[in-house]
Amino acid sequence: MPDIDRRTLLGGSAAALACRPSLAAAPRATVQGPGIYRTKLGDYQLTAIDDGTWFLKIDDEFVRNADATAVNRALAAAFLPPNMLPVSFTVLVVNTGSKLVMIDAGTGGQIADTAGVMLANLAVAGIDPKAVDTIVISHFHPDHINGLKTKDGDKVFPNAEILVPEPEWAFWMDEARMNSAPDRIKVYFRNARRIFGDLEKEVRRFRPGVEVAPGITSIPAFGHTPGHTAFSIASRNQSILAMGDAVRNPYLFARYPDWQPLFDMDGPLAVKTRRQMLDRAAADRMLVEAYHFPFPACGHIVKSGKGYELVPVLWQPLLPERPQRAG
Ligand SMILES: [Zn+2]
């Protein structure tokens, strides 16, 4: 067996390349291919639609109860650079056979220059925004609702019924609360009015815990925001848990579920919700999805040390029946 030391690995490949004549100069691409991932769930077809990634600069304040050294160590363990968190956005489309249901609405290109490709990817997936019947919203943070409207205020999904968690509406549309909120949070109140202000009669509010569409049940997952809601999607004997923002970047908040990022409005409650959700997903070996997981944002959760690990789904070029889970 050849000796593979570091020097051989680093130096060998360069030497091998150097003695080859160069072939055709292919242009370098600047973008990935389309970001869509389909999977079968009972009689349903799910399509994860990539909306891009925001590279968020973070500082010592970003996690309330962990210092920058610990956070940067966790980023380095995931082969990520320090002081910067990649925040991916993935919208989940559920085709029940008779209805097209979307969970959350993407960033609408209004959050970061490197996000806002959801509509392009929807087109690749063959989904016309006019054909979307229902959009179920997990919570009112801008990265989940801005995609409902263009920057100019036009509806992007003109025929979709929009369902929102009742406590989320009650909180963000409350005038007194907006007026007394710090400026950092006021922005979110104003944005919720920009998106929903003229849709009050059209938006249907639901109580977290009820079924919101065939096979799609809402689950109270409060803490990230006052009405933050997760969803379980089930068809026949298969199901997936769409966790929304209960667990954000898995290399930080699944591995360290007790960490409280600034985005979690009620830190301790968000930790309780996050732990419950991760625990249930791991114990029941559930397929999970989360809006900010790396694309395609689907996988399984296993317990590991004091935290949890995401085991991402495998890419499958064909769409066979999802194998029955083992054990
Ligand atoms: Zn979010």
Side-chain angles (χ1 to χ4, degrees), residues 164-196:
V164 305
E166 164 62 43
E168 201 61 6
W169 181 282
F171 181 86
W172 294 106
M173 302 310 268
D174 184 306
E175 288 294 315
R177 257 203 194 100
M178 177 168 83
N179 294 333
S180 62
D183 286 349
R184 186 175 64 81
I185 304 290
K186 234 176 219 153
V187 177
Y188 296 113
F189 282 92
R190 291 211 189 93
N191 188 64
R193 278 159 184 71
R194 179 177 73 87
I195 299 295
F196 293 120

PDB file of all heavy atoms in Angstrom, residues 164-196:
ATOM      1  N   VAL A 164     -52.129  31.785   8.334  1.00  0.00           N
ATOM      2  CA  VAL A 164     -51.097  32.231   9.290  1.00  0.00           C
ATOM      3  C   VAL A 164     -51.489  31.818  10.715  1.00  0.00           C
ATOM      4  O   VAL A 164     -52.676  31.734  11.039  1.00  0.00           O
ATOM      5  CB  VAL A 164     -50.891  33.766   9.230  1.00  0.00           C
ATOM      6  CG1 VAL A 164     -50.576  34.229   7.815  1.00  0.00           C
ATOM      7  CG2 VAL A 164     -52.093  34.516   9.783  1.00  0.00           C
ATOM      8  N   PRO A 165     -50.473  31.601  11.574  1.00  0.00           N
ATOM      9  CA  PRO A 165     -50.806  31.251  12.963  1.00  0.00           C
ATOM     10  C   PRO A 165     -51.473  32.439  13.657  1.00  0.00           C
ATOM     11  O   PRO A 165     -50.976  33.570  13.583  1.00  0.00           O
ATOM     12  CB  PRO A 165     -49.436  30.967  13.606  1.00  0.00           C
ATOM     13  CG  PRO A 165     -48.465  30.824  12.467  1.00  0.00           C
ATOM     14  CD  PRO A 165     -49.014  31.622  11.335  1.00  0.00           C
ATOM     15  N   GLU A 166     -52.587  32.167  14.304  1.00  0.00           N
ATOM     16  CA  GLU A 166     -53.352  33.217  14.996  1.00  0.00           C
ATOM     17  C   GLU A 166     -52.499  34.036  15.973  1.00  0.00           C
ATOM     18  O   GLU A 166     -52.492  35.279  15.927  1.00  0.00           O
ATOM     19  CB  GLU A 166     -54.560  32.571  15.684  1.00  0.00           C
ATOM     20  CG  GLU A 166     -55.253  33.399  16.736  1.00  0.00           C
ATOM     21  CD  GLU A 166     -55.847  34.702  16.204  1.00  0.00           C
ATOM     22  OE1 GLU A 166     -56.456  34.683  15.121  1.00  0.00           O
ATOM     23  OE2 GLU A 166     -55.652  35.723  16.890  1.00  0.00           O
ATOM     24  N   PRO A 167     -51.685  33.367  16.862  1.00  0.00           N
ATOM     25  CA  PRO A 167     -50.909  34.164  17.820  1.00  0.00           C
ATOM     26  C   PRO A 167     -49.832  35.024  17.154  1.00  0.00           C
ATOM     27  O   PRO A 167     -49.416  36.037  17.698  1.00  0.00           O
ATOM     28  CB  PRO A 167     -50.274  33.121  18.754  1.00  0.00           C
ATOM     29  CG  PRO A 167     -50.434  31.818  18.081  1.00  0.00           C
ATOM     30  CD  PRO A 167     -51.550  31.916  17.094  1.00  0.00           C
ATOM     31  N   GLU A 168     -49.405  34.600  15.981  1.00  0.00           N
ATOM     32  CA  GLU A 168     -48.402  35.368  15.247  1.00  0.00           C
ATOM     33  C   GLU A 168     -49.038  36.669  14.730  1.00  0.00           C
ATOM     34  O   GLU A 168     -48.488  37.752  14.879  1.00  0.00           O
ATOM     35  CB  GLU A 168     -47.880  34.494  14.106  1.00  0.00           C
ATOM     36  CG  GLU A 168     -46.551  34.864  13.544  1.00  0.00           C
ATOM     37  CD  GLU A 168     -45.371  34.817  14.502  1.00  0.00           C
ATOM     38  OE1 GLU A 168     -45.524  34.384  15.658  1.00  0.00           O
ATOM     39  OE2 GLU A 168     -44.289  35.255  14.084  1.00  0.00           O
ATOM     40  N   TRP A 169     -50.244  36.524  14.170  1.00  0.00           N
ATOM     41  CA  TRP A 169     -50.983  37.693  13.691  1.00  0.00           C
ATOM     42  C   TRP A 169     -51.273  38.640  14.857  1.00  0.00           C
ATOM     43  O   TRP A 169     -51.039  39.844  14.783  1.00  0.00           O
ATOM     44  CB  TRP A 169     -52.284  37.264  13.000  1.00  0.00           C
ATOM     45  CG  TRP A 169     -53.063  38.419  12.459  1.00  0.00           C
ATOM     46  CD1 TRP A 169     -53.861  39.273  13.174  1.00  0.00           C
ATOM     47  CD2 TRP A 169     -53.089  38.887  11.114  1.00  0.00           C
ATOM     48  NE1 TRP A 169     -54.382  40.235  12.360  1.00  0.00           N
ATOM     49  CE2 TRP A 169     -53.927  40.024  11.076  1.00  0.00           C
ATOM     50  CE3 TRP A 169     -52.487  38.450   9.913  1.00  0.00           C
ATOM     51  CZ2 TRP A 169     -54.187  40.731   9.900  1.00  0.00           C
ATOM     52  CZ3 TRP A 169     -52.758  39.162   8.740  1.00  0.00           C
ATOM     53  CH2 TRP A 169     -53.594  40.278   8.741  1.00  0.00           C
ATOM     54  N   ALA A 170     -51.755  38.076  15.936  1.00  0.00           N
ATOM     55  CA  ALA A 170     -52.144  38.898  17.089  1.00  0.00           C
ATOM     56  C   ALA A 170     -50.953  39.706  17.604  1.00  0.00           C
ATOM     57  O   ALA A 170     -51.101  40.872  17.968  1.00  0.00           O
ATOM     58  CB  ALA A 170     -52.698  38.003  18.203  1.00  0.00           C
ATOM     59  N   PHE A 171     -49.785  39.111  17.601  1.00  0.00           N
ATOM     60  CA  PHE A 171     -48.602  39.803  18.127  1.00  0.00           C
ATOM     61  C   PHE A 171     -48.114  40.901  17.184  1.00  0.00           C
ATOM     62  O   PHE A 171     -47.971  42.060  17.565  1.00  0.00           O
ATOM     63  CB  PHE A 171     -47.471  38.797  18.387  1.00  0.00           C
ATOM     64  CG  PHE A 171     -46.230  39.437  18.963  1.00  0.00           C
ATOM     65  CD1 PHE A 171     -46.113  39.633  20.334  1.00  0.00           C
ATOM     66  CD2 PHE A 171     -45.189  39.865  18.144  1.00  0.00           C
ATOM     67  CE1 PHE A 171     -44.977  40.240  20.877  1.00  0.00           C
ATOM     68  CE2 PHE A 171     -44.055  40.480  18.674  1.00  0.00           C
ATOM     69  CZ  PHE A 171     -43.952  40.666  20.043  1.00  0.00           C
ATOM     70  N   TRP A 172     -47.885  40.519  15.927  1.00  0.00           N
ATOM     71  CA  TRP A 172     -47.211  41.453  15.006  1.00  0.00           C
ATOM     72  C   TRP A 172     -48.137  42.545  14.483  1.00  0.00           C
ATOM     73  O   TRP A 172     -47.661  43.592  14.027  1.00  0.00           O
ATOM     74  CB  TRP A 172     -46.575  40.693  13.842  1.00  0.00           C
ATOM     75  CG  TRP A 172     -45.456  39.787  14.268  1.00  0.00           C
ATOM     76  CD1 TRP A 172     -45.478  38.426  14.356  1.00  0.00           C
ATOM     77  CD2 TRP A 172     -44.137  40.174  14.698  1.00  0.00           C
ATOM     78  NE1 TRP A 172     -44.276  37.945  14.803  1.00  0.00           N
ATOM     79  CE2 TRP A 172     -43.427  38.995  15.021  1.00  0.00           C
ATOM     80  CE3 TRP A 172     -43.493  41.413  14.843  1.00  0.00           C
ATOM     81  CZ2 TRP A 172     -42.110  39.010  15.469  1.00  0.00           C
ATOM     82  CZ3 TRP A 172     -42.183  41.430  15.288  1.00  0.00           C
ATOM     83  CH2 TRP A 172     -41.506  40.244  15.590  1.00  0.00           C
ATOM     84  N   MET A 173     -49.439  42.325  14.504  1.00  0.00           N
ATOM     85  CA  MET A 173     -50.358  43.334  13.977  1.00  0.00           C
ATOM     86  C   MET A 173     -50.906  44.220  15.097  1.00  0.00           C
ATOM     87  O   MET A 173     -51.774  45.045  14.863  1.00  0.00           O
ATOM     88  CB  MET A 173     -51.496  42.645  13.198  1.00  0.00           C
ATOM     89  CG  MET A 173     -51.023  41.781  12.034  1.00  0.00           C
ATOM     90  SD  MET A 173     -49.851  42.589  10.894  1.00  0.00           S
ATOM     91  CE  MET A 173     -51.008  43.247   9.687  1.00  0.00           C
ATOM     92  N   ASP A 174     -50.383  44.062  16.300  1.00  0.00           N
ATOM     93  CA  ASP A 174     -50.841  44.854  17.444  1.00  0.00           C
ATOM     94  C   ASP A 174     -50.132  46.219  17.439  1.00  0.00           C
ATOM     95  O   ASP A 174     -48.904  46.284  17.524  1.00  0.00           O
ATOM     96  CB  ASP A 174     -50.505  44.063  18.725  1.00  0.00           C
ATOM     97  CG  ASP A 174     -51.015  44.755  19.974  1.00  0.00           C
ATOM     98  OD1 ASP A 174     -50.698  45.944  20.184  1.00  0.00           O
ATOM     99  OD2 ASP A 174     -51.737  44.099  20.751  1.00  0.00           O
ATOM    100  N   GLU A 175     -50.926  47.288  17.327  1.00  0.00           N
ATOM    101  CA  GLU A 175     -50.356  48.644  17.215  1.00  0.00           C
ATOM    102  C   GLU A 175     -49.572  49.046  18.463  1.00  0.00           C
ATOM    103  O   GLU A 175     -48.477  49.589  18.377  1.00  0.00           O
ATOM    104  CB  GLU A 175     -51.472  49.672  16.999  1.00  0.00           C
ATOM    105  CG  GLU A 175     -52.109  49.612  15.628  1.00  0.00           C
ATOM    106  CD  GLU A 175     -51.129  50.009  14.507  1.00  0.00           C
ATOM    107  OE1 GLU A 175     -50.414  51.009  14.652  1.00  0.00           O
ATOM    108  OE2 GLU A 175     -51.084  49.263  13.505  1.00  0.00           O
ATOM    109  N   ALA A 176     -50.163  48.775  19.629  1.00  0.00           N
ATOM    110  CA  ALA A 176     -49.527  49.208  20.876  1.00  0.00           C
ATOM    111  C   ALA A 176     -48.174  48.524  21.041  1.00  0.00           C
ATOM    112  O   ALA A 176     -47.188  49.144  21.452  1.00  0.00           O
ATOM    113  CB  ALA A 176     -50.434  48.885  22.061  1.00  0.00           C
ATOM    114  N   ARG A 177     -48.149  47.233  20.690  1.00  0.00           N
ATOM    115  CA  ARG A 177     -46.886  46.482  20.808  1.00  0.00           C
ATOM    116  C   ARG A 177     -45.830  47.052  19.864  1.00  0.00           C
ATOM    117  O   ARG A 177     -44.666  47.160  20.220  1.00  0.00           O
ATOM    118  CB  ARG A 177     -47.126  45.015  20.456  1.00  0.00           C
ATOM    119  CG  ARG A 177     -47.186  44.174  21.667  1.00  0.00           C
ATOM    120  CD  ARG A 177     -46.862  42.725  21.410  1.00  0.00           C
ATOM    121  NE  ARG A 177     -47.299  42.021  22.589  1.00  0.00           N
ATOM    122  CZ  ARG A 177     -48.435  41.360  22.682  1.00  0.00           C
ATOM    123  NH1 ARG A 177     -49.232  41.266  21.637  1.00  0.00           N
ATOM    124  NH2 ARG A 177     -48.782  40.790  23.809  1.00  0.00           N
ATOM    125  N   MET A 178     -46.273  47.390  18.664  1.00  0.00           N
ATOM    126  CA  MET A 178     -45.322  47.960  17.696  1.00  0.00           C
ATOM    127  C   MET A 178     -44.742  49.260  18.245  1.00  0.00           C
ATOM    128  O   MET A 178     -43.536  49.474  18.206  1.00  0.00           O
ATOM    129  CB  MET A 178     -45.997  48.238  16.355  1.00  0.00           C
ATOM    130  CG  MET A 178     -45.044  48.896  15.376  1.00  0.00           C
ATOM    131  SD  MET A 178     -45.625  48.953  13.695  1.00  0.00           S
ATOM    132  CE  MET A 178     -46.651  50.410  13.771  1.00  0.00           C
ATOM    133  N   ASN A 179     -45.615  50.112  18.766  1.00  0.00           N
ATOM    134  CA  ASN A 179     -45.152  51.422  19.226  1.00  0.00           C
ATOM    135  C   ASN A 179     -44.184  51.335  20.396  1.00  0.00           C
ATOM    136  O   ASN A 179     -43.307  52.172  20.533  1.00  0.00           O
ATOM    137  CB  ASN A 179     -46.356  52.301  19.594  1.00  0.00           C
ATOM    138  CG  ASN A 179     -47.178  52.606  18.353  1.00  0.00           C
ATOM    139  OD1 ASN A 179     -46.646  52.612  17.239  1.00  0.00           O
ATOM    140  ND2 ASN A 179     -48.477  52.826  18.523  1.00  0.00           N
ATOM    141  N   SER A 180     -44.352  50.295  21.219  1.00  0.00           N
ATOM    142  CA  SER A 180     -43.475  50.208  22.384  1.00  0.00           C
ATOM    143  C   SER A 180     -42.233  49.341  22.126  1.00  0.00           C
ATOM    144  O   SER A 180     -41.367  49.215  22.992  1.00  0.00           O
ATOM    145  CB  SER A 180     -44.256  49.667  23.587  1.00  0.00           C
ATOM    146  OG  SER A 180     -44.704  48.369  23.288  1.00  0.00           O
ATOM    147  N   ALA A 181     -42.142  48.776  20.907  1.00  0.00           N
ATOM    148  CA  ALA A 181     -41.001  47.885  20.620  1.00  0.00           C
ATOM    149  C   ALA A 181     -39.739  48.690  20.346  1.00  0.00           C
ATOM    150  O   ALA A 181     -39.809  49.806  19.834  1.00  0.00           O
ATOM    151  CB  ALA A 181     -41.326  47.010  19.408  1.00  0.00           C
ATOM    152  N   PRO A 182     -38.558  48.126  20.682  1.00  0.00           N
ATOM    153  CA  PRO A 182     -37.308  48.798  20.306  1.00  0.00           C
ATOM    154  C   PRO A 182     -37.183  48.860  18.772  1.00  0.00           C
ATOM    155  O   PRO A 182     -37.775  48.022  18.070  1.00  0.00           O
ATOM    156  CB  PRO A 182     -36.224  47.897  20.909  1.00  0.00           C
ATOM    157  CG  PRO A 182     -36.891  46.615  21.258  1.00  0.00           C
ATOM    158  CD  PRO A 182     -38.351  46.862  21.376  1.00  0.00           C
ATOM    159  N   ASP A 183     -36.431  49.847  18.276  1.00  0.00           N
ATOM    160  CA  ASP A 183     -36.334  50.062  16.823  1.00  0.00           C
ATOM    161  C   ASP A 183     -35.921  48.803  16.059  1.00  0.00           C
ATOM    162  O   ASP A 183     -36.410  48.533  14.964  1.00  0.00           O
ATOM    163  CB  ASP A 183     -35.327  51.181  16.523  1.00  0.00           C
ATOM    164  CG  ASP A 183     -35.935  52.533  16.865  1.00  0.00           C
ATOM    165  OD1 ASP A 183     -37.160  52.589  17.114  1.00  0.00           O
ATOM    166  OD2 ASP A 183     -35.171  53.521  16.913  1.00  0.00           O
ATOM    167  N   ARG A 184     -35.013  48.023  16.676  1.00  0.00           N
ATOM    168  CA  ARG A 184     -34.516  46.800  16.035  1.00  0.00           C
ATOM    169  C   ARG A 184     -35.667  45.836  15.711  1.00  0.00           C
ATOM    170  O   ARG A 184     -35.651  45.142  14.694  1.00  0.00           O
ATOM    171  CB  ARG A 184     -33.526  46.139  17.010  1.00  0.00           C
ATOM    172  CG  ARG A 184     -32.780  44.944  16.520  1.00  0.00           C
ATOM    173  CD  ARG A 184     -31.750  44.511  17.580  1.00  0.00           C
ATOM    174  NE  ARG A 184     -32.369  44.061  18.826  1.00  0.00           N
ATOM    175  CZ  ARG A 184     -32.884  42.839  19.010  1.00  0.00           C
ATOM    176  NH1 ARG A 184     -32.862  41.971  18.029  1.00  0.00           N
ATOM    177  NH2 ARG A 184     -33.410  42.507  20.169  1.00  0.00           N
ATOM    178  N   ILE A 185     -36.687  45.832  16.588  1.00  0.00           N
ATOM    179  CA  ILE A 185     -37.822  44.925  16.415  1.00  0.00           C
ATOM    180  C   ILE A 185     -38.955  45.612  15.628  1.00  0.00           C
ATOM    181  O   ILE A 185     -39.716  44.955  14.915  1.00  0.00           O
ATOM    182  CB  ILE A 185     -38.350  44.458  17.799  1.00  0.00           C
ATOM    183  CG1 ILE A 185     -37.219  43.816  18.619  1.00  0.00           C
ATOM    184  CG2 ILE A 185     -39.516  43.494  17.669  1.00  0.00           C
ATOM    185  CD1 ILE A 185     -36.737  42.487  18.124  1.00  0.00           C
ATOM    186  N   LYS A 186     -39.025  46.931  15.743  1.00  0.00           N
ATOM    187  CA  LYS A 186     -40.075  47.690  15.032  1.00  0.00           C
ATOM    188  C   LYS A 186     -40.060  47.398  13.530  1.00  0.00           C
ATOM    189  O   LYS A 186     -41.095  47.366  12.875  1.00  0.00           O
ATOM    190  CB  LYS A 186     -39.855  49.186  15.266  1.00  0.00           C
ATOM    191  CG  LYS A 186     -41.087  49.885  15.817  1.00  0.00           C
ATOM    192  CD  LYS A 186     -40.811  51.330  16.132  1.00  0.00           C
ATOM    193  CE  LYS A 186     -41.524  51.682  17.413  1.00  0.00           C
ATOM    194  NZ  LYS A 186     -40.912  52.751  18.163  1.00  0.00           N
ATOM    195  N   VAL A 187     -38.858  47.201  13.003  1.00  0.00           N
ATOM    196  CA  VAL A 187     -38.704  46.899  11.579  1.00  0.00           C
ATOM    197  C   VAL A 187     -39.573  45.698  11.188  1.00  0.00           C
ATOM    198  O   VAL A 187     -40.214  45.683  10.137  1.00  0.00           O
ATOM    199  CB  VAL A 187     -37.211  46.580  11.286  1.00  0.00           C
ATOM    200  CG1 VAL A 187     -36.981  46.195   9.848  1.00  0.00           C
ATOM    201  CG2 VAL A 187     -36.336  47.749  11.703  1.00  0.00           C
ATOM    202  N   TYR A 188     -39.612  44.699  12.066  1.00  0.00           N
ATOM    203  CA  TYR A 188     -40.389  43.483  11.778  1.00  0.00           C
ATOM    204  C   TYR A 188     -41.888  43.773  11.801  1.00  0.00           C
ATOM    205  O   TYR A 188     -42.645  43.223  11.009  1.00  0.00           O
ATOM    206  CB  TYR A 188     -40.058  42.384  12.797  1.00  0.00           C
ATOM    207  CG  TYR A 188     -38.627  41.909  12.746  1.00  0.00           C
ATOM    208  CD1 TYR A 188     -37.747  42.150  13.798  1.00  0.00           C
ATOM    209  CD2 TYR A 188     -38.150  41.201  11.650  1.00  0.00           C
ATOM    210  CE1 TYR A 188     -36.430  41.709  13.764  1.00  0.00           C
ATOM    211  CE2 TYR A 188     -36.836  40.758  11.602  1.00  0.00           C
ATOM    212  CZ  TYR A 188     -35.985  41.015  12.663  1.00  0.00           C
ATOM    213  OH  TYR A 188     -34.685  40.582  12.609  1.00  0.00           O
ATOM    214  N   PHE A 189     -42.302  44.609  12.738  1.00  0.00           N
ATOM    215  CA  PHE A 189     -43.728  44.979  12.804  1.00  0.00           C
ATOM    216  C   PHE A 189     -44.143  45.707  11.514  1.00  0.00           C
ATOM    217  O   PHE A 189     -45.181  45.423  10.931  1.00  0.00           O
ATOM    218  CB  PHE A 189     -43.982  45.908  14.006  1.00  0.00           C
ATOM    219  CG  PHE A 189     -44.057  45.213  15.327  1.00  0.00           C
ATOM    220  CD1 PHE A 189     -42.945  45.048  16.131  1.00  0.00           C
ATOM    221  CD2 PHE A 189     -45.286  44.728  15.792  1.00  0.00           C
ATOM    222  CE1 PHE A 189     -43.024  44.424  17.366  1.00  0.00           C
ATOM    223  CE2 PHE A 189     -45.371  44.104  17.031  1.00  0.00           C
ATOM    224  CZ  PHE A 189     -44.236  43.957  17.817  1.00  0.00           C
ATOM    225  N   ARG A 190     -43.305  46.658  11.089  1.00  0.00           N
ATOM    226  CA  ARG A 190     -43.625  47.433   9.883  1.00  0.00           C
ATOM    227  C   ARG A 190     -43.661  46.529   8.665  1.00  0.00           C
ATOM    228  O   ARG A 190     -44.520  46.650   7.805  1.00  0.00           O
ATOM    229  CB  ARG A 190     -42.575  48.541   9.676  1.00  0.00           C
ATOM    230  CG  ARG A 190     -42.655  49.628  10.711  1.00  0.00           C
ATOM    231  CD  ARG A 190     -42.236  50.989  10.147  1.00  0.00           C
ATOM    232  NE  ARG A 190     -42.128  51.935  11.248  1.00  0.00           N
ATOM    233  CZ  ARG A 190     -40.988  52.171  11.901  1.00  0.00           C
ATOM    234  NH1 ARG A 190     -39.870  51.580  11.540  1.00  0.00           N
ATOM    235  NH2 ARG A 190     -40.972  53.030  12.906  1.00  0.00           N
ATOM    236  N   ASN A 191     -42.708  45.611   8.607  1.00  0.00           N
ATOM    237  CA  ASN A 191     -42.659  44.706   7.462  1.00  0.00           C
ATOM    238  C   ASN A 191     -43.905  43.814   7.405  1.00  0.00           C
ATOM    239  O   ASN A 191     -44.453  43.573   6.330  1.00  0.00           O
ATOM    240  CB  ASN A 191     -41.399  43.855   7.512  1.00  0.00           C
ATOM    241  CG  ASN A 191     -41.194  43.042   6.242  1.00  0.00           C
ATOM    242  OD1 ASN A 191     -40.993  43.591   5.168  1.00  0.00           O
ATOM    243  ND2 ASN A 191     -41.306  41.736   6.355  1.00  0.00           N
ATOM    244  N   ALA A 192     -44.361  43.355   8.575  1.00  0.00           N
ATOM    245  CA  ALA A 192     -45.575  42.517   8.606  1.00  0.00           C
ATOM    246  C   ALA A 192     -46.765  43.301   8.061  1.00  0.00           C
ATOM    247  O   ALA A 192     -47.608  42.761   7.336  1.00  0.00           O
ATOM    248  CB  ALA A 192     -45.844  42.044  10.032  1.00  0.00           C
ATOM    249  N   ARG A 193     -46.829  44.605   8.350  1.00  0.00           N
ATOM    250  CA  ARG A 193     -47.914  45.450   7.813  1.00  0.00           C
ATOM    251  C   ARG A 193     -47.779  45.634   6.306  1.00  0.00           C
ATOM    252  O   ARG A 193     -48.763  45.649   5.585  1.00  0.00           O
ATOM    253  CB  ARG A 193     -47.909  46.808   8.512  1.00  0.00           C
ATOM    254  CG  ARG A 193     -48.619  46.745   9.842  1.00  0.00           C
ATOM    255  CD  ARG A 193     -48.215  47.880  10.753  1.00  0.00           C
ATOM    256  NE  ARG A 193     -48.862  47.708  12.050  1.00  0.00           N
ATOM    257  CZ  ARG A 193     -48.542  46.757  12.926  1.00  0.00           C
ATOM    258  NH1 ARG A 193     -47.588  45.893  12.645  1.00  0.00           N
ATOM    259  NH2 ARG A 193     -49.187  46.648  14.070  1.00  0.00           N
ATOM    260  N   ARG A 194     -46.542  45.787   5.841  1.00  0.00           N
ATOM    261  CA  ARG A 194     -46.324  45.940   4.397  1.00  0.00           C
ATOM    262  C   ARG A 194     -46.846  44.712   3.646  1.00  0.00           C
ATOM    263  O   ARG A 194     -47.479  44.826   2.603  1.00  0.00           O
ATOM    264  CB  ARG A 194     -44.815  46.118   4.117  1.00  0.00           C
ATOM    265  CG  ARG A 194     -44.474  46.262   2.648  1.00  0.00           C
ATOM    266  CD  ARG A 194     -42.976  46.512   2.450  1.00  0.00           C
ATOM    267  NE  ARG A 194     -42.158  45.335   2.672  1.00  0.00           N
ATOM    268  CZ  ARG A 194     -41.867  44.424   1.739  1.00  0.00           C
ATOM    269  NH1 ARG A 194     -42.346  44.566   0.513  1.00  0.00           N
ATOM    270  NH2 ARG A 194     -41.106  43.380   2.014  1.00  0.00           N
ATOM    271  N   ILE A 195     -46.596  43.532   4.218  1.00  0.00           N
ATOM    272  CA  ILE A 195     -47.001  42.303   3.533  1.00  0.00           C
ATOM    273  C   ILE A 195     -48.495  42.019   3.727  1.00  0.00           C
ATOM    274  O   ILE A 195     -49.206  41.684   2.778  1.00  0.00           O
ATOM    275  CB  ILE A 195     -46.172  41.093   4.048  1.00  0.00           C
ATOM    276  CG1 ILE A 195     -44.672  41.296   3.781  1.00  0.00           C
ATOM    277  CG2 ILE A 195     -46.673  39.781   3.451  1.00  0.00           C
ATOM    278  CD1 ILE A 195     -44.270  41.336   2.313  1.00  0.00           C
ATOM    279  N   PHE A 196     -48.990  42.163   4.963  1.00  0.00           N
ATOM    280  CA  PHE A 196     -50.350  41.695   5.254  1.00  0.00           C
ATOM    281  C   PHE A 196     -51.387  42.812   5.373  1.00  0.00           C
ATOM    282  O   PHE A 196     -52.588  42.537   5.415  1.00  0.00           O
ATOM    283  CB  PHE A 196     -50.359  40.900   6.569  1.00  0.00           C
ATOM    284  CG  PHE A 196     -49.607  39.593   6.489  1.00  0.00           C
ATOM    285  CD1 PHE A 196     -48.522  39.340   7.320  1.00  0.00           C
ATOM    286  CD2 PHE A 196     -49.982  38.613   5.575  1.00  0.00           C
ATOM    287  CE1 PHE A 196     -47.829  38.145   7.255  1.00  0.00           C
ATOM    288  CE2 PHE A 196     -49.298  37.414   5.501  1.00  0.00           C
ATOM    289  CZ  PHE A 196     -48.210  37.179   6.342  1.00  0.00           C
TER     290      PHE A 196
END
